[in-house]
């Protein structure tokens, strides 16, 4: 099984981290055997699996259930599970949700969205030995308030993002997802942080890339995000599409200019 220290080591050696979502055992099997380093059981399952408009309706029970399925099929990848909307509203609820994702779901790491607000939760989890992944930039759980927008376009919001990223690292986060952040800013944040920074719609300079499985297979219902790419179109099987994604991330041919802000 992939470990956090193995991921850190490959980042230090300059190898990009390939991360992909999965939500059930059979896809987790193929994603992990195709060479994906990190599987994210994202609360994006609310949209791509459950058919909701946002991630907000996803419950903790559902996240535990999907993480259990993924971990039954996962052969070798590091597994991150999302803390669903409101489960991290206080240190107490966050610790109890993280505990369920780790104990019942067998996740290796939990991910939560936000900056200053989540620092006490990140510190509390980290102090208890729970590996934590932060998530900054476009925050899908705050979409009703802020919408789906590129984050950090102007100077003051760029400075704020940089200080939030550093704050998360200082509080004990072991990894960071940057969603829809301009490529230059993502590059700067990645270079200033010691923890692996995984980008989605945040340019090629991040330490790794993450995409939603349905987006790379071209089976997303409705609009596919601009930063995604259909890797199945040029191959003849799901397994080779996932392998092409991993290869493109490792060779740094994905993301290309057209996938960046
Ligand atoms: O839920 C998810 O799939 C995510 C990715 C978009 C990073 O958080």
């Amino acid at each position: 099984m992939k470990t956090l220290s193995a991921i850190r080591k490959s980042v230090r050696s300059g190898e990009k981290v390939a991360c992909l979502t999965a939500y059930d055992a059979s896809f987790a099997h193929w994603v992990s055997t195709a060479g994906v380093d990190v599987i994210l059981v994202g609360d994006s399952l609310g949209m791509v699996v459950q058919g909701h408009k946002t991630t907000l309706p996803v419950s903790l029970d559902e996240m535990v259930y999907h993480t259990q399925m993924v971990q039954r099929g996962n052969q070798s990848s590091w597994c991150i599970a999302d803390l669903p909307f409101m489960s991290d509203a206080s240190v107490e609820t966050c610790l109890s949700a993280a505990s369920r994702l780790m104990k019942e779901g067998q996740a290796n790491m939990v991910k939560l969205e936000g900056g200053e607000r989540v620092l006490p939760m990140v510190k509390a989890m980290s102090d208890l030995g729970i590996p934590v992944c932060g998530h900054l930039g476009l925050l899908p759980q705050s979409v009703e308030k802020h919408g789906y927008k590129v984050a950090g376009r102007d100077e003051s919001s760029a400075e704020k993002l940089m200080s939030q990223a550093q704050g998360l690292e200082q509080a004990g986060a072991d990894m960071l997802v940057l969603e829809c952040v301009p490529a230059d800013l993502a590059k700067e944040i990645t270079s200033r942080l010691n923890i692996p920074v995984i980008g989605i719609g945040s340019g090629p300079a991040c330490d790794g890339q993450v995409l939603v499985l349905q987006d790379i297979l071209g089976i997303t219902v409705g609009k596919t995000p601009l930063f995604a790419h259909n890797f199945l179109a040029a191959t003849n099987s799901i397994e080779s599409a996932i392998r092409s994604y991993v290869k493109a991330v490792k060779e740094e041919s994905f993301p290309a200019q057209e996938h960046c802000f």
Side-chain angles (χ1 to χ4, degrees):
M1 279 294 187
K2 190 70 84 180
T3 60
L4 191 52
S5 66
I7 294 168
R8 282 198 207 108
K9 199 171 158 200
S10 55
V11 166
R12 275 200 302 273
S13 74
E15 184 182 333
K16 298 282 180 185
V17 180
C19 175
L20 194 59
T21 66
Y23 314 103
D24 66 26
S26 55
F27 274 114
H29 173 91
W30 292 114
V31 165
S32 62
T33 55
V36 166
D37 302 297
V38 178
I39 293 181
L40 170 64
V41 188
D43 59 358
S44 50
L45 68 87
M47 290 173 293
V48 295
V49 178
Q50 298 175 332
H52 292 297
K53 290 207 162 22
T54 69
T55 61
L56 274 60
V58 178
S59 70
L60 179 60
D61 283 345
E62 288 161 351
M63 286 308 303
V64 170
Y65 172 67
H66 283 277
T67 307
Q68 286 171 335
M69 289 193 282
V70 163
Q71 287 297 62
R72 280 181 216 126
N74 178 15
Q75 302 299 300
S76 55
S77 310
W78 180 254
C79 175
I80 310 178
D82 266 347
L83 284 158
F85 178 58
M86 291 305 282
S87 65
D88 60 8
S90 70
V91 171
E92 287 70 28
T93 58
C94 183
L95 288 180
S96 129
S99 156
R100 288 199 59 201
L101 290 170
M102 304 279 293
K103 282 179 150 180
E104 297 171 43
Q106 302 275 294
N108 302 119
M109 177 179 243
V110 298
K111 175 164 85 58
L112 79 177
E113 297 181 11
E116 293 82 358
R117 181 191 71 78
V118 301
L119 296 182
M121 293 74 167
V122 172
K123 181 166 183 346
M125 290 191 285
S126 176
D127 287 350
L128 284 164
I130 300 173
V132 179
C133 179
H135 183 151
L136 291 173
L138 190 161
L139 304 179
Q141 292 177 6
S142 305
V143 75
E144 298 290 5
K145 191 170 165 79
H146 300 297
Y148 289 106
K149 279 201 302 254
V150 177
R153 278 211 200 264
D154 59 77
E155 206 180 324
S156 78
S157 60
E159 274 168 18
K160 190 171 166 195
L161 264 182
M162 175 65 80
S163 95
Q164 288 176 330
Q166 289 171 323
L168 285 168
E169 179 174 73
Q170 277 155 21
D174 303 282
M175 203 178 278
L176 176 66
V177 165
L178 279 185
E179 181 163 357
C180 293
V181 171
D184 288 350
L185 175 60
K187 183 176 180 184
E188 187 65 26
I189 293 174
T190 305
S191 74
R192 290 219 210 153
L193 260 49
N194 292 310
I195 56 174
V197 176
I198 312 298
I200 173 163
S202 299
C206 297
D207 297 313
Q209 299 294 327
V210 57
L211 282 181
V212 167
L213 176 66
Q214 277 73 359
D215 287 343
I216 76 152
L217 300 180
I219 56 167
T220 298
V221 178
K223 230 171 111 196
T224 302
L226 172 136
F227 53 73
H229 179 75
N230 178 350
F231 285 88
L232 187 60
T235 60
N236 55 10
S237 75
I238 287 174
E239 192 192 358
S240 45
I242 301 168
R243 284 191 190 281
S244 304
Y245 166 67
V246 173
K247 189 164 178 276
V249 170
K250 302 275 178 195
E251 289 177 355
E252 302 181 38
S253 56
F254 178 84
Q257 195 63 45
E258 77 221 53
H259 306 116
C260 303
F261 298 103

